[in-house]
Each structure stands twice: as structure tokens, then as C-alpha cells.
Amino acid sequence: MLLEVEKGVVLAAAPQRDHPVSRGTLCIKGWNGHQLIHHPERLTQPLLRINDCLKPVSWNKALSYAAQRITELQQAHGRDCVGVVGSLKTVNEASYLLGKLARTVLHTPHLDAPLRFDHAPSLRVLREQSGFANAAAALADIEKAGAILVIGADAKAQNARAGSLLLQAAKRGVPVIQVDPREQEHSRFFRLHLRPRPGTDLALINALSHILLAEGWQAEGLAGLAKLRDDGLERFTPAYAESVSGIAQDDLRSAAGLIAKASSLLILFGTGITQQANGTANVRALWNLALLTGSIGREGGGLLPLLTANNSQGAVDTGLMSEWGPGQRDLQETAVRRAIEAAWGASLPAEKGLTLQEMIDHAGGRIRALYVVGENLAWSAPESAKTSAALDKLDFLLVQDLFLTETAARADLVLPAASFAEQEGSYTSLERRLQRVRRAIAPLRGCKPDLEIIQLLAGALAAPWPLRKAEEVFLEMQQLMPCYGGISWQTIGHPGGVLWPAHTDDEECTLYRKLLGDRQGAFTEVSTGLPFGDEPDADYPFTLITGRPLFHRRTGTLVTRSFTLDKEDPVATIEINTDDARALKLRSGWPVIVKSRRGEVRRTVVVTRAVPPGTLYLPIHHKDGLSQSLMPSMLEPESAIPQMKLCAAKLEMV
Amino acid sequence: MENIYLPDLAVIDRIVDETHDIKTFTLRFASRELRKNFRFKSGQFVEASIFGAGEAPFGFASNPNHPEHFDITVRAAGVVTRAMHALKPGDYMGIRGPLGNHFPLEEVKGQDILIIAGGIGLPPLKSLIDPMLDCRGDFGQFIILYGARTPADRVYKPLLQEWSERGDITLLQTVDTPDAAWSGPVGVVTTLFEKIKLAVDRTVAFTCGPPVMIRFVIQELLAMGFAEERIISTLERYMKCGVGKCGHCAIGHKYICVDGPVFSWRQIKRLPER
Amino acid sequence: MQAGTRLVVNKQVFLDNLSLCMQKMTVIGPQKLRGGEVTFGPLRSLRRLTLDYVNDLDPLKRFFLPQREVLFAYDLSGKKPRLLQPEQEKPRLLFGIRSCDVQGLAHMDGFFQGACYDELYWARRRNTLIISMACNRPNESCFCICCNGGPWLESGFDLQLTDLGEEFLIDIGSRAGRVFLEERPMPAVTASRRHETRRRELMEACDAQMVPTAYLAKACIQITNNRVREELWEEMGSECFSCGGCTHVCPCCTCFDVVDCPEGAKSGTRVRCWDSCQYSGFTREASGHNPRARAKERVKRRFYHKLSYAYIQQDGHPGCVGCGRCITVCEAFGLLDISAVVKRLRRDGQ
């Protein structure tokens, strides 16, 4: 993307024709998102809470205050009383240094990224099975896929590029099987739309594998089939899946038939299947299905999780997830720890760190101070009321952001960061595409790039860190990240950058095969599935599911600051099935109160057949962060992702 | 050449609370020269600015025969209108106008007049009724029908009282939801049609109000036998520049802000997306 | 010299003169970015100028109707608000603009004049000399021959250059263009038969290379008479990603939004920014009512504006110059560029 600048003001954005992914296109957010850069609400001074009021202070004062408070608290409660939350939006170099700051200077194990809330299960399973915590496919695979399964994701809304490639594939006649309780705008173009009861994806996915195996439709030369069948798949008969998910056996067989006939299967999936009690089990089931069709590592096949932010993958790669260090390396492995300790010249905290939701849950207890970079936790975490109360319990909340978000407003100290247009560094896209971002304008007066802030803070905490530029930091982090090996700062500056690992040919789709080598991977356990913890009952008769509209992103901190995007979504709505609406005597446009066992929000009714009976669909709305207040925060046991996709709910008239 | 987007400054002389969320502002231009030369016609509108909040269009709500002052009646609905409601007499607003076309006041002289207004649709029609009543003798039968959600949601209550006391016009009012004090008709404004008698071939009907109301009113008028050109309505669209440039208010190739807001049903009927 | 007579000037001599102009006026021309993308911007020297380009993806209308433009500044610190008009810009020379964009300017000229004369647009228009460059080589998305948008034009420019290799063949389109040539030490000769022949050859070669088509004629009739099946609009609406790219890059699209940008409580600016009829916020009223709530209605609107006779009669031509930019920005999405849509309309029901 190019930015048009005049006299230090960003006027507009424009796409690049020579970019291999965008090929001259942008989505609505690309065209208009730049409006946030000069938004009047941008923070341009550090703000310190004095007498319960945020007052502007100098950078020097702010940094020394932060260092002093953190040091005091660490002396009183131990070094691991500090938690650090990374950003999915800032540059890799800043993320890398943030991880280093947390693990060496602060010496706390409690570091995590908000990826925990959307794709922790995807990353966990992929890393477990392939060795790499990232997509086992690239966007270009959509163009080469023999068949595509889209599950728990609205590609059009969540990733316009993936959505457009998917639409084109469908229009070319590629069989696209969509699994989603809700009808999406593009559903009409897809070959098959299976609408399971919310939260029953596991039975459905496993039944597809079951049919493939039962019919002998699996790929050739696979090992471990008998074990797969006997140790779990067996019980996922089409009849069982029908009883659980409500999908007719014939439809399951047609879907399996389409998959069996195709040369390869590409699976696009989103938070619809990860933010559940069976989050990890679902991704495991997808892995088995992809492996059964022989699609792992094959052109036009594999697993492509639709990560939600511009630099989600970069946050994983640079080591912001609690369990992994730079290069996605497992911190529990002694060799890894030694290597990192040697490179950083410091010891790493020994114990396992808390994950994001756990840090919130322990706020005021084990966690006394939280340093949050570019994440509006108060709105992004489930059970908003509980989250806000937790943040208030902290002795010291330090927030680094562009705007005074609901989280920043609760902070003791707020540091004004620079926007994407004001900083240098690199991003890694959901398909591992490492690209440079260049400064289009100088940071707004008073703001500093994340990279600089983190280094200044380290300095204030008495770490002997010289102030370095993005390129120097990139060179350092490369040493610890085998996946970024062989990539030069210069090559990632070309349009499209580089898909890691570095390659010399242009066959991006076969990359994953190269990554895996001859490892086709093995089947993973088939879990029976856990019951969903917040089932509808007589008091809360509906199942509420959430989703994100096209012009929205995460908590809306950024999109609401673009007036064009803000205009797109002025009304917070809730979708209800036509028959349910009739029974409740509700009409489109009427206000209603949506209640769950945790909270309530006021919404405007949209009556539609797009949602099935018994289901309510709540678009995450950017002007009321309360959407998440309804959703449960209980953790899925394996990946520690809150089960925030669905819950029981009821409607009350206003 | 002047910048067509640059407002002139006007001072608020008076603010009247009409309902819980509607106020009428009486304005006068700050420049003496403008005050002297300013003229407008019934049905035209202004773009009113609150600097820092933005600009929004409002129909003139006062008598064009007295252009040294003019009224706009504003419901607090968006950012601009809420900012306007926070103003006091003596405060400034930016004003661009007069903009748009106007009601065919001269052309309908000698005819019977039927005015149908809904809610906040009355103010623009008031700028037509006032000058008509200035020369009441030029018109035949004169009927005003006014519908509102509740009695309290009616604007210009003292004026409605005044009109209802005049012997030379018929004013009928109705509300969707009555309160304890309301003794008048209840129902949508079209239910008043059965209470009036008129000769469709010498009556011109003017209507302004919410889009749904206008749709039903026009349906009824046509059913009563009104000729298409004898039904005059205003059209409303989201509007920005007011001078036919920004494109927001276009319907087909007509721009509400310059070709409208006043149209006959004959014209509206031909628009591709009405 | 007379308008209409073609002249020939040595290319380097012309460029050297262009370079001299850079001291007195803002010279805007094509330049290459890293990676090879070409964009137009102010030039301080010839060093960054490139003549190896087809066109900028961002339409050059932005130099006359900028993506973001201050309408006025306000100052509320005193008793009475003060309104400050934007300053006049330096004279400009737009070098190398392609014919489609010149034709787009002609379209905008028509729109911004009349009863509501847009002085902000015209101030820029008046102080900019247009030296266009006819296209020897079209892009794979160009179809200007279908829309009277090039590759060569008869009017709309001050000077129109044809790149003959060592020389520029020059069409003079205005008095300002003639004066520009006369005032500079540029030995010019009248074009010979050889030059004219070469120009014709280039034109024919360019025509032959155009790939996309735009069957406007039938689509105009279908749209004007509302003879397009609603289901087809419905389908196209579902495909649309409402990114607004098509209107953003269209040289004939002029819609804008107006917003206030406060800088603190006491001052700020009112700016206009490009807007798009493809966004649902474009027509949504304060009450929440939206006459074009669905993408289907918005796609229909876009083509009504481009191709209905109501507009063609008013503007004198369809709202398309064949620059092909909407093909590029919609390639990824629903294939709803004008070339694809008129093809779909034509074939529908056959």
C-alpha cells in the first residue's frame, strides 16, 4: 500500500499493482483506514494519573515514573508480578524487543499476545503437527485448490483478499463447502452450505473423515489409518454426526464425496471453531481431515487459519506467545533456553508464564502490574465487566496506544505511540509474508514509534540497551529465528517481501512442502469433544454466536477513527430468525435487550433467515465494546483460549 | 469567484423549545449588507454549520416575506444537531443559502390548498403557509392536516392553536398515541382524509414528513383522483454540500439539493429509485 | 505558430526546458517507485522523471479534486468565529498526463461549472498547464478506444506530445500551450509527412493492442429503460466487497464527503474527502433510514450514473473514459469493473 503525503499530512492510500498479493487492490479498510493517522483524538503526550485524573507529562517523567513503579512493585511482590501484553499490529522489531524486555529486563514469564483470544488452538496444533506455528498453506493456494472447506469463518468479511480469491474459485466451479450456522453473503455462490447447530463442528469434521475412511477415499500411502479409525473416528458415524449437528447424513456424504473427488483440499478456518470448548480438538480434526486427503504440503491444499490482524503471525514469530520464544521456539526445551540466554546474555524466567486470560484473572493477585501494548483489553476480552474490574485491581497499568481506548482510560500511565505510517519495521502476514513498512511521515509531535518506546523504557529500567533502528533489531532477531534465516532487510523491502523460509524460486504454493521436508505429518488424536459449558435452557433459550462485519476490525479502536469506516456501521444490531421473531413478536428495527448469564447489551433487531431458528447472531460492534460482556471467559483446557464464540442468551423487550 | 462551501456568519436571536428534542432557532446574518439583501422562498433550505461538528441542511421555517430574520427548526438526531441544541442566543452559526428550489407559491394562486404535514415535516410547510395566509384571499379553501406521534411531539403548538382559531382555514390534527389531555383524532394522518371535503380538480396538495408517511399520503391522494402535477412533495436524502457537487443526495440524475427538495408527483414518479 | 499545426521538438531540448520550469512552478510528472510502480508527483529535477510508464493507478483527478482538501479553516478563539480561506497554490505544470485522464478532466470541468461553480476546483484547473502524453502502448486493462478517452485526443490539453523516440510531436490545444512553446528557447519545426506517418502508425499499433472491450451501447439502453433483471443486480451486489476502489480510481467519479477536523476546541478545518456511492454510509440518514442499504442498490446506482441516458444527455458522454483502472482494483473482488459488467448485462438473457 502506498500513502499519498502532502506537507506532512497523509491524504490517501493507494494499492500497488506490483504487489503479488494485492495486485492493485485494497479493501474498504485499506482505502480509508489512513484517516485515523491525523484523527483529532490521537494521543500526543504521555498521560499520568494524578489524583485519579490523567494529566499530560513529559516523556522523561513518564518513563522514569514507569520504571520506578515497576521496580517498586517487583521489589515488593517478586519480579513475576508484572505481566506484558503484546500487540498484533505493531512491527516485528518492536514485538521482538518487547519479548526480550519482558523476559530479560523485567524477567517475568508472563507475556502473551491477544492471538490467544482468536487462534491459540490453530497455532498449537499446527506447531505440534508440523513443527511450525503458522498456516500450512498460502493465499495463492486458494487459486489452486481442488476443493475448499470454509469453516467457522466469513472470509469476505474477515480477509477480503482471501474472500475474493474464494469467490473467484467458487465462480470458476471449484467446489466450496461452507460450514457455518449462519448464511453469509457469498453462501449463494458456494456448492454446499452445511449449517450445523452452533458448537457442533467437531462431530461434523470427524464424520467427514469417517466417511472418507469408510469409503476408502483416503489418499494413498498413509500410515496409522487403523489406529485413527479404532482410536476415535469410528464413533463419528454420519448418523452420530447428524444427531449432534443436525446435518443430514446425505449432506455429509455429498460433502465427503466432493472432497474425495478433488485433487486437493484447502481448509480455511476462523474463530468460529477455535473460540469453543473444543477449539483445539476442532483444529486437530481438521488436520486429520487434510492429512487423509493427502493435502498437507500439497499445492492447493492445507490449513489456512484466517488470523485477524496485520501482524498476528509476526507476534507469534517474534516470541510474544507465552509458550514460545523468538522463532516460535519452545521455551520449555533446555537447548532453546540456552541458546536464547546466550544470545541475550541474560537468564530467562524458569517457570511457565500465564496466558492472557489468566493474567486478567490474576490481576491484583499474582499480577500487580500490566504493560499493554496496542490492545484494548477492556473490550477484546470476554466478560467485559469482570475484565474492567480486574484492570482496576492492578497496582500499575501501563498502556501504549494511539488513542485513549477504554483500557488506556483505566491506565495509570499512557504512552502515545506512532501509527503504521510513522514507523519503520516489518510485518508478517497470515501466510508468513515478511514485508517492510516504511515511514511515510514523521511521528506526530509528541508520539514515538513502539520500537523506540520499548527501548527507552528498557533504558529507564537500567538495561544497557543502545537505541537501535529497526534494521539493526531485525538483524539481531534473525539470529534467534531460524524461520527468518537467509532473508535480507533489502529483499523484504520489495513489493510483496518474502514468504519465509527464504526461497529462490517463485513457487510459493509448494513452500510449505519445503518447510515440512518429507514430513507429511502424522495423524493426531481424535478427541471425543467436551460439552459446551453454557448450554441454552428454559431461562436462556437461544444460542448466541458472534461475528465480525466487513468494515470492522478487532475492538474498533482504529476503524472508528476513520470517518468513512465509522459511517458504515452506526447501528449495533442482533440477527434473529424470522420464525423466532414472529414468536416473540419482534420486528426489524426494534430495540431489544440481549442478556446472557454474564451481562446484557442493547441492540436493534434484524429479522432474517440468515440465522437458523434458536440462534442469535451478534455482530461485534465497534461502538459498544459490551458485545464481549455477554461472552464467557472460561478457558478451553488445552490452548487457554476463552470460549467466547457462543453462549446461551435471551431477548427482552425494551 | 467565491468559495461556495464558505458559510456566512449568523447570530441566534431566539431559541424556542418545541418538544423534548426539537428547537426552533431564529437567526439573523451578522453582516448588515447581507441582512439587507437576503431573500429566500418557501421550500428552500440552508446548510447550517457548527464549526468543529459539521454542517446539516434545514428547510426555512419562517415567512419569506420577512427575510431579515429566518427560522430553522431542528431535531437533535446527529452530531451537528446535538451541537446546535447546546447553543444559546447570541451564539454564532455558519449559514449557506438559500439553497434548492421552492414551492410554486405564485402558480397555485386561485386554487384550493391542502397541506399534509407529519411530525417535523411541518416547519418547511410553515414557510409556505405563512405567505399564503398573508394573502389569504388569493386562495380558495385552505385545509391543513397535521399528524404527530404524540400530542407532545407536535411543533409550533401556539401557532397550531392560532390556526385552529381562525375561521378561514381548516386545521385537523391527529396523533398516533394520545395522552390524557388529547381529545382529537387518533391514527395516522391519512385517516383525516375522510373528515374533509375537497374538489380534487381545483386543489393542490403539499406534503412533507417522514418518507413512509409521504408514500401513504400520495397513494391516498392519487386514489382520491388528484392529478399527478397537483401533488407537491418534498424529498429527503442524506445531504452534504447542498450545491449539487458531493453526490450524496442524488436520486437518478436529479440532485435533491439543487433540483429539489420540492417535486411534483409527476416528477418523482419518473425517478429511477424513488 | 497556429493551433492545429503540429510541431516537432527535440525531446532532450523539451525536457531541458521542462527542467527550467521547475524553478518557477510546480512541475508534476511520472516517476518510478521502488519495485517499478509509477506514480505522478512534484518533480525537483529530471532525475526522477520517467518516460517509461503506462499510467498511474491513482487517477490524476487528485491534482484538481484532492483526496483530502481544506475548504476553509475556522478560528473560534475570538468573540466571533473567523473563517480563513485556503491559500492560492503556485502555478503548476502537469507533464505526461495520459489522454484518459485529460478526458476525465473534461468530464469534471462540465460537472464543476454551471450555477454552482466550484471555485476551489477551478482555481487549480486555471493555474495548471496540461502537457499530455499520447499512449504508444496501452496497459492490459486499457479500453479508451471504446469510450473516446484516447489514446490520442483532439482537445482538452494545452499541449499533447507524441513520443517519436528522439523527438516529441506536439499538438497545440490552447493559447496557453502555444504561449508556453513560444516563450521558451525551443527550436520547433513543423511536422513533416514522415512525422505524421509515424504518428498514424503508432496510433494504429496502439489501437490493435487494446484487449478489454466495453460494450456500452446495449448496456446504456438496458440501464436507461430499467431492463436489467433484478436477479442480476442481486448477484452482482452479492459479489461486491464494497471497497469503493472503483469509484476511487475512476477519473469521472467526483463524490465527496465533508467533515470537520477540529484541532483542539478553538480551531480546525472543514475538509472534503473522496467518498464512494458504494459505501452504505453514503446515503444513510440520521434517522437510520437508508435508501441504498444493500450493495445491489449501490452497484445499480454506480452504473446508472455511468451509463443512463439521463446522465449521458446531461454530461454529453457516458461516465467512463476507458482508463481500465476499475479492472485493476476490482480484479481481486467481484469482477464488477465496467468492462465486465457491461459484458454481463449484454449476455444476460441471451
Side-chain angles (χ1 to χ4, degrees):
Chain A
M1 187 170 89
L2 303 171
L3 291 177
E4 187 106 16
V5 179
E6 193 181 284
K7 293 176 191 144
V9 176
V10 177
L11 298 181
Q16 278 174 282
R17 283 171 291 201
D18 54 0
H19 191 284
V21 178
S22 83
R23 296 178 214 156
T25 65
L26 289 176
C27 76
I28 183 171
K29 284 169 281 194
W31 286 110
N32 300 293
H34 63 86
Q35 291 165 356
L36 71 91
I37 298 167
H38 301 288
H39 194 279
E41 289 169 14
R42 271 289 296 274
L43 298 172
T44 51
Q45 294 173 90
L47 300 172
L48 177 63
R49 188 168 299 278
I50 302 168
N51 298 331
D52 211 30
C53 202
L54 287 170
K55 296 265 167 58
V57 291
S58 72
W59 271 98
N60 276 341
K61 171 103 199 268
L63 290 165
S64 59
Y65 181 82
Q68 184 202 330
R69 285 296 285 143
I70 290 171
T71 312
E72 280 168 12
L73 288 167
Q74 286 192 321
Q75 277 164 1
H77 303 282
R79 300 191 76 175
D80 62 353
C81 76
V82 180
V84 176
V85 180
S87 163
L88 305 185
K89 290 162 282 187
T90 194
V91 293
N92 286 326
E93 294 69 22
S95 293
Y96 166 78
L97 283 190
L98 182 68
K100 187 176 173 183
L101 175 92
R103 288 177 173 133
T104 64
V105 180
L106 296 173
H107 205 263
T108 175
H110 310 311
L111 163 71
D112 208 8
L115 255 162
R116 182 68 57 191
F117 287 167
D118 46 45
H119 277 289
S122 323
L123 299 166
R124 180 192 169 90
V125 173
L126 284 160
R127 191 179 181 289
E128 204 174 79
Q129 297 305 313
S130 73
F132 296 96
N134 47 253
L139 285 171
D141 283 310
I142 302 175
E143 291 181 294
K144 297 171 182 170
I148 303 172
L149 173 67
V150 188
I151 180 163
D154 181 348
K156 177 183 178 180
Q158 284 150 13
N159 184 316
R161 193 63 184 107
S164 66
L165 292 172
L166 186 66
L167 174 65
Q168 286 175 36
K171 296 211 92 181
R172 275 199 314 271
V174 174
V176 176
I177 303 156
Q178 185 201 2
V179 179
D180 200 309
R182 181 171 171 269
E183 187 173 333
Q184 300 163 3
E185 195 139 17
H186 282 173
S187 300
R188 59 187 294 173
F189 300 112
F190 300 151
R191 187 75 61 85
L192 211 51
H193 180 195
L194 307 180
R195 303 174 72 175
R197 293 189 189 110
T200 63
D201 308 85
L202 185 67
L204 189 151
I205 304 165
N206 279 335
L208 293 176
S209 296
H210 179 101
I211 298 170
L212 290 178
L213 209 51
E215 299 287 342
W217 287 341
Q218 75 275 15
E220 282 171 24
L222 293 169
L225 290 177
K227 186 171 181 301
L228 178 70
R229 182 165 42 228
D230 302 339
D231 278 5
L233 266 194
E234 205 170 34
R235 67 178 168 278
F236 286 97
T237 59
Y240 170 74
E242 179 175 343
S243 71
V244 174
S245 68
I247 302 293
Q249 296 184 44
D250 282 351
D251 288 339
L252 290 168
R253 283 183 213 285
S254 330
L258 288 173
I259 291 171
K261 259 184 272 163
S263 56
S264 63
L265 174 68
L266 179 70
I267 303 176
L268 291 180
F269 64 103
T271 55
I273 63 153
T274 57
Q275 293 172 335
Q276 298 185 6
N278 292 319
T280 309
N282 282 336
V283 184
R284 287 220 169 90
L286 288 178
W287 173 269
N288 286 341
L289 177 63
L291 203 57
L292 262 182
T293 61
S295 298
I296 298 285
R298 186 194 292 170
E299 189 170 79
L303 298 183
L304 188 59
L306 292 177
L307 304 184
T308 53
N310 59 319
N311 203 31
S312 288
Q313 188 61 52
V316 188
D317 296 348
T318 53
L320 288 186
M321 293 292 277
S322 144
E323 52 271 65
W324 306 316
Q328 316 176 343
R329 296 203 287 175
D330 190 344
L331 288 171
Q332 297 308 310
E333 283 177 31
T334 320
V336 169
R337 295 175 62 85
R338 288 229 179 93
I340 295 174
E341 285 175 340
W344 284 350
S347 72
L348 297 178
E351 75 271 40
K352 211 164 161 279
L354 295 175
T355 60
L356 186 48
Q357 184 62 43
E358 291 164 336
M359 282 193 251
I360 297 170
D361 294 341
H362 284 97
R366 280 171 73 185
I367 300 292
R368 316 297 308 188
L370 206 55
Y371 174 24
V372 181
V373 180
E375 175 69 14
N376 187 6
L377 273 186
W379 274 15
S380 65
E383 294 197 55
S384 318
K386 208 176 88 177
T387 309
S388 297
L391 295 176
D392 289 344
K393 275 190 253 165
L394 292 164
D395 293 324
F396 183 57
L397 175 59
L398 171 59
V399 174
Q400 182 168 319
D401 214 313
L402 268 60
F403 295 98
L404 195 67
T405 63
E406 289 66 27
T407 308
R410 296 181 177 276
D412 299 289
L413 180 63
V414 185
L415 301 176
S419 74
F420 69 97
E422 302 152 49
Q423 57 184 329
E424 294 275 342
S426 63
Y427 291 142
T428 310
S429 80
L430 81 167
E431 55 167 1
R432 318 182 305 282
R433 189 175 292 279
L434 187 55
Q435 309 178 78
R436 262 188 71 187
V437 53
R438 288 188 180 78
R439 218 173 89 151
I441 55 170
L444 294 200
R445 232 178 117 108
C447 301
K448 290 185 191 293
D450 292 315
L451 184 65
E452 189 183 336
I453 299 176
I454 291 161
Q455 297 184 80
L456 290 174
L457 186 62
L461 286 160
W465 286 17
L467 202 56
R468 290 177 304 167
K469 291 198 173 109
E471 183 179 356
E472 297 167 80
V473 178
F474 179 80
L475 292 176
E476 179 191 310
M477 76 183 194
Q478 250 186 332
Q479 305 301 314
L480 283 172
M481 298 171 65
C483 51
Y484 286 13
I487 299 171
S488 75
W489 185 247
Q490 202 182 6
T491 43
I492 63 170
H494 292 308
V498 173
L499 247 74
W500 68 257
H503 61 297
T504 46
D505 54 42
D506 288 321
E507 292 175 57
E508 289 170 355
C509 287
T510 57
L511 235 182
Y512 196 72
R513 158 156 301 208
K514 203 179 295 171
L515 200 69
L516 249 89
D518 293 329
R519 250 174 93 190
Q520 261 283 311
F523 290 108
T524 164
E525 69 183 89
V526 180
S527 88
T528 339
L530 294 167
F532 166 57
D534 192 23
E535 295 282 353
D537 57 17
D539 289 340
Y540 294 89
F542 288 99
T543 306
L544 176 76
I545 53 176
T546 60
R548 193 193 66 170
L550 175 64
F551 20 76
H552 189 37
R553 218 185 88 175
R554 298 185 56 79
T555 63
T557 304
L558 303 182
V559 292
T560 49
R561 266 74 178 203
S562 151
F563 47 83
T564 306
L565 295 174
D566 194 32
K567 275 200 308 187
E568 289 298 286
D569 187 19
V571 184
T573 56
I574 179 136
E575 294 182 6
I576 179 170
N577 178 273
T578 317
D579 299 334
D580 292 337
R582 197 169 297 141
L584 291 173
K585 297 194 171 60
L586 280 175
R587 281 206 225 141
S588 284
W590 287 12
V592 74
I593 293 173
V594 190
K595 280 193 178 167
S596 79
R597 295 190 172 99
R598 285 151 296 275
E600 60 177 65
V601 296
R602 206 185 149 104
R603 290 284 173 138
T604 301
V605 171
V606 173
V607 177
T608 170
R609 294 222 175 264
V611 291
T615 305
L616 301 172
Y617 171 74
L618 184 83
I620 302 281
H621 183 66
H622 58 53
K623 267 181 232 150
D624 95 70
L626 298 172
S627 313
Q628 296 293 20
S629 68
L630 303 178
M631 311 318 285
S633 66
M634 62 208 165
L635 297 184
E636 183 263 8
E638 284 193 87
S639 308
I641 183 172
Q643 302 176 24
M644 56 208 270
K645 181 50 71 178
L646 62 166
C647 70
K650 64 178 168 187
L651 294 182
E652 280 177 11
M653 307 288 261
V654 173
Chain B
M1 270 304 198
E2 64 185 59
N3 180 343
I4 46 175
Y5 307 105
L6 191 72
D8 291 300
L9 293 180
V11 187
I12 302 173
D13 273 348
R14 202 161 65 105
I15 301 175
V16 176
D17 287 312
E18 304 286 355
T19 73
H20 74 282
D21 63 350
I22 299 176
K23 290 184 184 193
T24 295
F25 296 84
T26 301
L27 297 158
R28 135 180 84 80
F29 280 108
S31 134
R32 183 171 304 157
E33 197 191 332
L34 240 176
R35 220 154 47 223
K36 206 172 74 194
N37 298 326
F38 184 70
R39 299 285 178 275
F40 68 91
K41 291 182 170 167
S42 316
Q44 286 191 298
F45 67 97
V46 292
E47 284 278 355
S49 286
I50 303 297
F51 304 111
E55 204 174 31
F58 302 96
F60 285 103
S62 56
N63 194 336
N65 293 337
H66 304 286
E68 57 288 349
H69 284 89
F70 59 89
D71 290 355
I72 55 176
T73 296
V74 179
R75 168 155 59 201
V79 179
V80 181
T81 48
R82 276 197 294 271
M84 287 170 82
H85 273 232
L87 297 177
K88 313 175 294 300
D91 286 346
Y92 287 89
M93 263 189 219
I95 293 288
R96 288 190 297 131
L99 303 167
N101 72 352
H102 54 85
F103 287 117
L105 175 62
E106 291 303 318
E107 294 84 336
V108 300
K109 282 191 174 161
Q111 303 287 316
D112 289 355
I113 301 298
L114 171 63
I115 307 265
I116 308 124
I120 197 160
L122 184 57
L125 290 168
K126 179 175 174 288
S127 81
L128 175 67
I129 299 169
D130 282 350
M132 281 178 160
L133 296 181
D134 281 353
C135 49
R136 176 65 188 90
D138 289 352
F139 303 93
Q141 179 177 232
F142 204 113
I143 302 173
I144 302 172
L145 308 180
Y146 183 40
R149 247 161 36 87
T150 69
D153 283 315
R154 292 171 306 145
V155 295
Y156 309 146
K157 290 177 199 85
L159 181 69
L160 290 168
Q161 185 60 32
E162 199 181 299
W163 285 347
S164 68
E165 285 161 9
R166 275 177 82 131
D168 59 350
I169 56 178
T170 308
L171 168 70
L172 296 177
Q173 303 181 61
T174 180
V175 295
D176 295 344
T177 318
D179 59 14
W182 183 256
S183 58
V186 174
V188 291
V189 74
T190 44
T191 58
L192 296 175
F193 281 142
E194 61 191 37
K195 300 183 197 292
I196 55 170
K197 274 211 167 66
L198 39 77
V200 292
D201 52 347
R202 45 159 223 270
T203 304
V204 180
F206 295 89
T207 181
C208 182
V212 194
M213 181 209 92
I214 293 185
R215 204 165 64 232
F216 284 108
V217 164
I218 290 176
Q219 251 172 38
E220 294 270 332
L221 292 174
L222 290 169
M224 286 159 77
F226 269 85
E228 289 170 354
E229 63 276 11
R230 285 182 172 272
I231 302 173
I232 313 287
S233 175
T234 57
L235 287 182
E236 202 183 317
R237 281 282 164 125
Y238 180 62
M239 200 183 274
K240 273 289 176 182
C241 74
V243 288
K245 300 294 180 229
C246 76
H248 286 86
C249 68
I251 303 183
H253 73 298
K254 296 287 184 193
Y255 291 77
I256 302 299
C257 64
V258 290
D259 300 312
V262 178
F263 294 93
S264 71
W265 172 245
R266 170 173 293 230
Q267 292 167 314
I268 296 173
K269 212 178 77 169
R270 291 187 184 149
L271 297 175
E273 34 166 8
R274 51 176 190 266
Chain C
M1 275 190 270
Q2 277 181 348
T5 321
R6 296 201 181 95
L7 300 174
V8 174
V9 174
N10 177 282
K11 197 191 232 175
Q12 197 51 52
V13 170
F14 190 95
L15 292 178
D16 288 343
N17 274 283
L18 187 69
S19 164
L20 289 176
C21 294
M22 293 173 191
Q23 291 150 15
K24 273 178 285 177
M25 55 207 304
T26 309
V27 175
I28 297 163
Q31 38 200 291
K32 257 205 180 94
L33 301 176
R34 220 177 339 248
E37 185 71 275
V38 168
T39 182
F40 276 69
L43 291 163
R44 286 219 190 79
S45 72
L46 289 180
R47 197 171 52 83
R48 296 190 57 199
L49 177 76
T50 179
L51 292 180
D52 172 29
Y53 69 104
V54 180
N55 208 351
D56 191 336
L57 181 57
D58 222 3
L60 302 198
K61 68 178 179 186
R62 69 181 191 269
F63 294 108
F64 302 91
L65 178 68
Q67 294 98 330
R68 177 194 168 102
E69 174 180 22
V70 172
L71 298 175
F72 60 84
Y74 61 84
D75 172 3
L76 308 178
S77 55
K79 195 171 151 282
K80 191 169 155 185
R82 275 194 330 132
L83 304 183
L84 310 156
Q85 301 232 40
E87 279 171 32
Q88 270 284 346
E89 286 175 31
K90 264 205 320 196
R92 303 183 303 179
L93 188 160
L94 185 45
F95 176 81
I97 176 175
R98 294 299 190 186
S99 301
C100 50
D101 281 316
V102 173
Q103 197 64 352
L105 288 182
H107 180 94
M108 301 225 304
D109 289 353
F111 182 73
F112 283 116
Q113 65 192 16
C116 299
Y117 184 90
D118 195 310
E119 173 59 18
L120 294 169
Y121 171 84
W122 283 103
R124 291 202 172 78
R125 198 70 178 86
R126 279 192 306 266
N127 80 352
T128 310
L129 194 77
I130 304 284
I131 302 185
S132 71
M133 186 79 77
C135 300
N136 291 355
R137 151 172 78 94
N139 226 334
E140 64 271 19
S141 55
C142 293
F143 56 94
C144 59
I145 45 174
C146 301
C147 304
N148 189 31
W152 271 259
L153 293 177
E154 285 96 54
S155 63
F157 47 81
D158 293 306
L159 297 174
Q160 172 176 255
L161 309 185
T162 306
D163 192 342
L164 298 181
E166 295 296 308
E167 297 147 325
F168 283 133
L169 179 69
I170 305 178
D171 293 71
I172 299 168
S174 72
R175 197 173 160 272
R178 188 162 67 234
V179 169
F180 177 84
L181 285 180
E182 282 169 357
E183 280 183 349
R184 280 167 184 77
M186 263 190 274
V189 295
T190 309
S192 69
R193 178 169 293 173
R194 178 176 64 83
H195 292 122
E196 295 287 351
T197 309
R198 183 72 193 123
R199 182 178 188 265
R200 206 161 36 246
E201 285 167 5
L202 287 170
M203 288 171 89
E204 281 164 13
C206 190
D207 283 6
Q209 288 174 57
M210 297 268 174
V211 183
T213 51
Y215 314 130
L216 299 187
K218 187 175 174 193
C220 290
I221 295 168
Q222 288 173 298
I223 286 172
T224 306
N225 299 324
N226 201 11
R227 292 247 178 80
V228 182
R229 283 185 313 121
E230 286 301 304
E231 294 76 27
L232 183 58
W233 288 124
E234 191 83 47
E235 182 178 326
M236 295 195 290
S238 296
E239 291 169 18
C240 179
F241 278 70
S242 303
C243 72
C246 52
T247 57
H248 191 103
V249 297
C250 180
C252 298
C253 279
T254 50
C255 290
F256 57 83
D257 196 3
V258 182
V259 285
D260 282 15
C261 298
E263 289 151 23
K266 292 288 174 199
S267 65
T269 52
R270 179 164 295 167
V271 301
R272 67 169 161 195
C273 304
W274 291 359
D275 203 350
S276 172
C277 59
Q278 300 304 296
Y279 298 150
S280 67
F282 189 78
T283 46
R284 188 186 291 105
E285 291 156 19
S287 64
H289 172 68
N290 192 348
R292 289 187 214 125
R294 304 186 52 214
K296 165 201 164 186
E297 289 138 7
R298 304 194 289 270
V299 171
K300 195 172 173 182
R301 164 68 197 168
R302 175 173 151 230
F303 286 97
Y304 185 87
H305 193 164
K306 299 249 166 274
L307 299 177
S308 74
Y309 284 157
Y311 269 107
I312 293 175
Q313 218 161 32
Q314 188 171 298
D315 302 337
H317 49 85
C320 174
V321 292
C323 69
R325 288 177 171 110
C326 55
I327 298 182
T328 307
V329 298
C330 200
E331 179 270 332
F333 297 142
L335 301 167
L336 295 170
D337 59 82
I338 197 163
S339 165
V341 168
V342 298
K343 199 171 289 169
R344 288 170 81 165
L345 295 196
R346 187 179 69 96
R347 287 184 181 158
D348 189 57
Q350 279 187 350

